[in-house]
Amino acid sequence: MDTRRLFRISATALAAAGLLISGCSSGGSPTEASASNPASGPVSGDPAALKKYYDQKLAWRDCGVPDFQCATMKAPLDYAKPDGTEIDLAVARKKATGPGTRLGSLMVNPGGPGGSAIGYLQAYAGIGYPAPVRARYDMVAVDPRGVARSEPVECLGGPEMDAYTQVDQTPDDPAEITKLTESFKNFAQGCEKRSGTVLPHVSTVEAARDMDLFRAVLGDRTLSYVGASYGTFLGATYAELFPRRTGRLVLDGAMDPSLPARELNRDQTAGFEMAFRSFAEDCVKQADCPLGQKSAADVSNRMKAFFAQLDARPVPAGGGRELGESLATTGVIAAMYDESAWPQLREALAAAMDGDGAALLALADSYYERESDGTYANLMFANSAVNCLDLPPSFSGPDEVTKALPSFEQASPVFGRGLAWAALNCTYWPVKATGTPHRIEAKGAAPIVVVGTTRDPATPYKWARSLADQLSSGTLLTYEGDGHTAYGRGSDCIDTAINTYLLEGTPPARGKKCS
């Protein structure tokens, strides 16, 4: 498990994304990338070579989901070679319902990387975003390259993935370290074997360029976009590449693009520890807390002890499957994304501690997007492919992980050891990283709203503060509470501020805080 990924526990958890707006007009020139921007050189040596992509017309068709339309958009596999191989990107829309003047298209992305934007659009954003927003925007989405319906990265079959997710991620001796590193190598080799052509071209920069193609094809002068979690990095990258085409952006649950992978992983490890502490403090107040009612510290100690017990003796989980330490840890972490999942976690832990791991395994399966028939969506594959291309790996090998363990365990006594070893996955990736940590300023962009939740486990609040400070037009909106992201999760204060920005163009006052 890569700790930068967005856990998929429910549509509600994914729904707390950010938004953007675009004006409605012609598509504009195929290139804008600023020469002064370190991550955005010219789109190609010959801008005219991209004209056919910017001028393409989409053949919209019925999606099989009421009120939604789907189409296929062409893009170059390699923007440096726009006359070379083409790829097909899946796009979808739901037209503005009215009343009110149409504001353009509102593009959404739920994060991941690897989350299906089209799935999110059809299951939540297109039907669950505030009615005034849906009335005045065409709700649109493109599955990023390598994801879901857009040239999906494939790595392992179902049985192979089952084995991969069960490998011990808290190795206790050299033999277990070797087994873990071999699992990462096998995963990477599977990706190269099955998806070697697309693997070097699924970076966030390339996905952002695809978003600009979609903007132009839709006929919007500027991009309107909602990004959650990793989707905030995608949105910020777009603003960096195309600042003058950036409309109203809400980046909710923000990532900090200036941090190297190891620091991102360690920060998020601390974030999950903070979230677990909140869970523990709540758990001791509940009569059904399976970890006792003594104190939050005691809950943490009991949780660690139970993980160690499962490491030695997994418990049955139904269907011939077992729940060991790795899958149990994943299940607990998944429930940290949304405090509404805490009762479900208490029940699942109680059953697992009584010898039935099925409910806790179901939480882990939701994270991995494993279906009941044993097949997996491509979320995990795309997640690694994008992350390993965007940043150099956290560690050069097991020795560096071993040296870093004390700092990770200090960040999280409960999860630190496992999350440190999990960060080794990109070390064996077959494609060298093309991205580097850097500040994103997006000079010249319209006001951008960055949303941070003070006890967000997956994207720590300090990341939102940092991104808002980096962006030349960034405004920080703070939600004082638990859970991953803030928009659409029950705070009228947050929702009103964002809706006002989306519909009227007025960002919240600087320093605004909600609870």
Side-chain angles (χ1 to χ4, degrees):
M1 150 176 46
D2 189 297
T3 58
R4 285 172 284 158
R5 65 169 305 184
L6 170 66
F7 289 78
R8 176 185 175 269
I9 185 170
S10 68
T12 302
L14 287 176
L19 294 160
L20 292 161
I21 301 179
S22 53
C24 159
S25 128
S26 65
S29 161
T31 60
E32 183 201 11
S34 163
S36 65
N37 207 317
S40 58
V43 172
S44 78
D46 180 13
L50 288 173
K51 189 176 187 299
K52 66 177 181 178
Y53 295 108
Y54 276 85
D55 290 345
Q56 66 185 294
K57 305 296 181 183
L58 300 183
W60 293 102
R61 62 186 184 277
D62 181 74
C63 284
V65 180
D67 301 322
F68 289 89
Q69 294 178 305
C70 291
T72 300
M73 184 179 75
K74 299 288 185 181
L77 172 67
D78 185 348
Y79 274 90
K81 301 175 182 178
D83 288 323
T85 304
E86 291 184 340
I87 57 173
D88 293 333
L89 302 178
V91 299
R93 72 180 180 185
K94 183 183 181 186
K95 288 190 174 182
T97 57
T101 303
R102 180 179 173 276
L103 293 173
S105 306
L106 182 61
M107 203 178 299
V108 297
N109 183 283
S116 170
I118 292 177
Y120 174 70
L121 175 72
Q122 294 176 343
Y124 181 75
I127 58 177
Y129 272 22
V133 173
R134 291 182 286 115
R136 300 185 64 189
Y137 286 98
D138 290 349
M139 303 295 295
V140 305
V142 53
D143 275 350
R145 51 177 62 207
V147 174
R149 302 163 179 85
S150 295
E151 308 285 345
V153 172
E154 299 294 341
C155 301
L156 301 177
E160 295 171 302
M161 271 299 292
D162 279 347
Y164 176 76
T165 62
Q166 294 171 33
V167 173
D168 186 359
Q169 292 198 359
T170 57
D172 301 311
D173 55 46
E176 290 188 348
I177 291 175
T178 297
K179 185 174 181 180
L180 178 61
T181 58
E182 286 302 316
S183 75
F184 288 139
K185 291 175 183 178
N186 290 338
F187 183 92
Q189 290 166 4
C191 298
E192 184 177 32
K193 179 179 178 180
R194 301 184 187 202
S195 302
T197 299
V198 73
L199 218 56
H201 300 290
V202 294
S203 70
T204 296
V205 167
E206 289 161 306
R209 295 199 190 285
D210 295 337
M211 288 166 56
D212 196 56
L213 288 183
F214 193 29
R215 171 205 60 78
V217 170
L218 289 169
D220 291 334
R221 183 180 59 83
T222 56
L223 179 78
S224 300
Y225 169 84
V226 177
S229 196
Y230 160 79
T232 66
F233 180 41
L234 183 57
T237 299
Y238 181 89
E240 178 181 40
L241 291 169
F242 306 104
R244 292 184 293 277
R245 297 179 189 171
T246 298
R248 301 168 191 173
L249 272 63
V250 178
L251 308 180
D252 187 9
M255 290 184 62
D256 183 350
S258 70
L259 298 179
R262 188 186 304 187
E263 193 168 344
L264 286 170
N265 285 313
R266 190 160 43 214
D267 280 354
Q268 196 178 58
T269 298
F272 282 116
E273 180 69 21
M274 179 175 58
F276 186 81
R277 217 162 30 234
S278 292
F279 165 76
E281 290 169 357
D282 177 76
C283 194
V284 296
K285 302 174 185 176
Q286 310 300 326
D288 65 342
C289 181
L291 298 167
Q293 282 83 31
K294 184 178 178 181
S295 67
D298 188 55
V299 167
S300 295
N301 290 332
R302 287 174 177 243
M303 188 75 265
K304 289 173 61 180
F306 184 56
F307 285 156
Q309 178 182 326
L310 290 174
D311 188 24
R313 294 183 300 279
V315 298
R321 302 175 70 198
E322 290 185 332
L323 178 77
E325 180 187 19
S326 292
L327 286 169
T329 303
T330 300
V332 173
I333 285 178
M336 296 298 99
Y337 271 81
D338 189 342
E339 65 271 27
S340 68
W342 292 355
Q344 180 184 358
L345 177 58
R346 292 197 303 271
E347 184 177 342
L349 283 171
M353 295 173 82
D354 198 35
D356 180 3
L360 193 52
L361 182 64
L363 282 172
D365 284 349
S366 75
Y367 163 70
Y368 287 121
E369 290 197 350
R370 183 189 191 274
E371 302 298 335
S372 58
D373 63 1
T375 60
Y376 288 76
N378 98 305
L379 172 63
M380 277 289 291
F381 311 140
N383 182 267
S384 293
V386 176
N387 280 333
C388 296
L389 202 56
D390 277 348
L391 288 176
S394 298
F395 301 107
S396 64
D399 288 346
E400 281 196 359
V401 179
T402 301
K403 292 176 183 177
L405 283 177
S407 66
F408 275 78
E409 291 182 294
Q410 182 178 7
S412 174
V414 177
F415 305 116
R417 187 175 183 84
L419 293 182
W421 283 107
L424 190 62
N425 70 328
C426 288
T427 302
Y428 308 104
W429 202 246
V431 181
K432 186 178 180 180
T434 55
T436 58
H438 65 280
R439 291 174 56 85
I440 292 181
E441 298 180 3
K443 293 179 179 178
I448 298 172
V449 174
V450 179
V451 187
T453 298
T454 55
R455 293 186 296 279
D456 188 320
T459 51
Y461 178 64
K462 69 177 185 177
W463 291 358
R465 284 202 317 260
S466 178
L467 180 59
D469 287 343
Q470 291 172 45
L471 291 167
S472 62
S473 59
T475 296
L476 178 64
L477 174 63
T478 298
Y479 174 59
E480 296 177 323
D482 295 293
H484 184 40
T485 71
Y487 184 50
R489 298 189 69 246
S491 170
D492 289 339
C493 174
I494 289 287
D495 292 353
T496 298
I498 293 176
N499 293 342
T500 298
Y501 169 66
L502 289 173
L503 296 171
E504 301 176 12
T506 305
R510 291 194 177 277
K512 185 174 180 61
K513 296 182 178 181
C514 299
S515 58

